[in-house]
């Protein structure tokens, strides 16, 4: 077994166990392999093992890898853009991604909708929520979430699917569950006002169990699959 096969099997076991503990079907949770800073060869190797969902954070890196792999991977992967998005970089993402998890203001949503090519299905989006209340963090504030959801749901070329959050790391499993439980409550509150959100994008390498116990439907895992990222490899 290669290292990658080991890592993937171990992540799969963790997801299985968490689903069992939560009394949930394994099919209710999908695994996104977060491949930021990883090579095309690493993505290809994981794809060969059956991985189909990949997540990227940095626009230029996403475009380069997406385009290089477009003709190589069969079946084609499902690409999730999960990084911070500036208004002047939305077009290339709207043209390539299947999902964007990081919509946190109306201007970004409007541009993605306007720039989504006519021949493709609507872009699936999650609203990123900042639960930390710290200034400067990306994500919409809880108090502005309802208005953003209402406006985004009206956009013709987007399909509003759910909420995403990226909480401060914690080693304590009880502490880990708190922001995930809050995101679930916010989803339920929106659905009580007529939205039909079926997606909670939450949980990473260190807290995917806590997220699954609170209802995560998409977990975003990098390090536990590919190993540690080198600090110098961050790209924009
Ligand atoms: C990097 C990243 C992840 C994956 O984090 P790991 O700890 O490596 O699993 C998940 N979500 C987002 C938004 C990220 O930027």
């Amino acid at each position: 077994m290669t290292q990658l096969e080991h890592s993937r099997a171990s992540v799969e076991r963790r997801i299985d166990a968490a689903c069992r503990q939560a009394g949930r079907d394994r099919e209710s949770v999908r695994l996104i392999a977060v491949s930021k800073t990883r090579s095309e060869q690493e993505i290809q190797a994981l794809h060969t093992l059956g991985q189909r969902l990949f997540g990227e954070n940095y626009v230029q890196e996403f475009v380069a890898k997406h385009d290089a792999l477009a003709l190589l991977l069969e079946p084609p992967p499902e690409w999730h853009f999960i990084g911070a998005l500036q208004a002047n970089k939305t077009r290339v993402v709207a043209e390539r991604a299947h999902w964007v998890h990081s919509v946190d203001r109306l201007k970004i949503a409007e541009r993605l909708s306007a720039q989504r090519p006519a021949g493709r299905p609507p872009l699936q989006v999650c609203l990123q929520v900042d639960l930390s209340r710290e200034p400067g963090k990306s994500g919409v504030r809880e108090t502005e979430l309802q208005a953003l959801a209402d406006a985004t749901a009206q956009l013709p070329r987007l399909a509003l699917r759910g909420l995403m959050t990226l909480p401060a790391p914690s080693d304590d499993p009880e502490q880990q569950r708190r922001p995930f439980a809050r995101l679930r409550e916010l989803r339920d509150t929106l659905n009580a006002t007529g939205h039909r959100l079926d997606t909670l994008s939450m949980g990473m390498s260190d807290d995917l169990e806590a997220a699954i116990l609170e209802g995560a439907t998409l977990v975003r895992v990098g390090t536990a699959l590919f190993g540690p990222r080198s600090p110098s490899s961050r790209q924009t």
Side-chain angles (χ1 to χ4, degrees):
M1 251 200 191
T2 65
Q3 181 58 48
L4 202 55
E5 281 176 284
H6 261 295
S7 307
R8 182 157 191 270
S10 145
V11 170
E12 284 294 335
R13 273 196 305 276
R14 288 175 59 192
I15 296 173
D16 283 349
C19 284
R20 235 175 294 119
Q21 193 188 340
R24 300 180 53 190
D25 288 340
R26 173 62 187 85
E27 292 71 44
S28 68
V29 180
R30 298 202 300 157
L31 169 64
I32 300 174
V34 176
S35 48
K36 62 184 172 199
T37 79
R38 309 297 172 172
S39 68
E40 288 152 23
Q41 289 72 25
E42 286 174 285
I43 294 174
Q44 212 168 352
L46 200 54
H47 182 273
T48 301
L49 299 179
Q51 180 65 34
R52 294 293 175 261
L53 279 57
F54 290 89
E56 288 283 340
N57 286 66
Y58 310 116
V59 173
Q60 269 131 14
E61 181 186 341
F62 166 54
V63 168
K65 287 180 188 170
H66 171 281
D67 293 1
L69 291 167
L71 297 175
L72 290 177
L73 302 185
E74 190 53 46
E78 184 177 290
W79 289 104
H80 292 247
F81 190 81
I82 63 174
L85 197 47
Q86 294 168 313
N88 63 356
K89 293 187 178 168
T90 49
R91 181 178 297 277
V92 288
V93 174
E95 288 170 348
R96 289 168 177 79
H98 298 85
W99 285 72
V100 174
H101 294 227
S102 44
V103 173
D104 63 355
R105 54 196 193 278
L106 187 56
K107 184 179 184 186
I108 297 292
E110 286 173 341
R111 290 179 66 91
L112 289 170
S113 179
Q115 293 165 344
R116 180 67 168 173
R120 298 205 55 185
L123 182 62
Q124 322 280 307
V125 300
C126 292
L127 303 179
Q128 181 172 353
V129 184
D130 172 23
L131 299 170
S132 73
R133 302 195 188 92
E134 293 165 28
K137 280 281 178 74
S138 32
V140 62
R141 303 283 183 81
E142 283 184 37
T143 51
E144 287 151 31
L145 177 61
Q146 179 84 49
L148 180 61
D150 292 348
T152 302
Q154 300 300 317
L155 294 170
R157 302 290 295 135
L158 301 186
L160 178 58
R161 295 292 302 271
L163 304 178
M164 179 272 233
T165 198
L166 187 59
S170 163
D171 297 335
D172 172 10
E174 282 309 306
Q175 190 76 24
Q176 287 175 352
R177 286 180 68 162
R178 233 163 269 157
F180 299 145
R182 182 66 189 143
L183 199 71
R184 175 169 44 77
E185 289 170 10
L186 292 169
R187 190 265 323 261
D188 293 344
T189 302
L190 288 171
N191 282 350
T193 69
H195 287 282
R196 297 172 67 176
L197 307 183
D198 60 9
T199 299
L200 290 172
S201 168
M202 56 190 197
M204 320 199 301
S205 292
D206 291 335
D207 54 15
L208 68 89
E209 286 87 355
I212 289 171
L213 287 170
E214 295 298 346
T217 64
L218 289 172
V219 291
R220 312 178 308 264
V221 177
T223 309
L225 287 169
F226 292 109
R229 287 178 292 275
S230 68
S232 61
S233 55
R234 191 183 183 285
Q235 300 174 29
T236 55

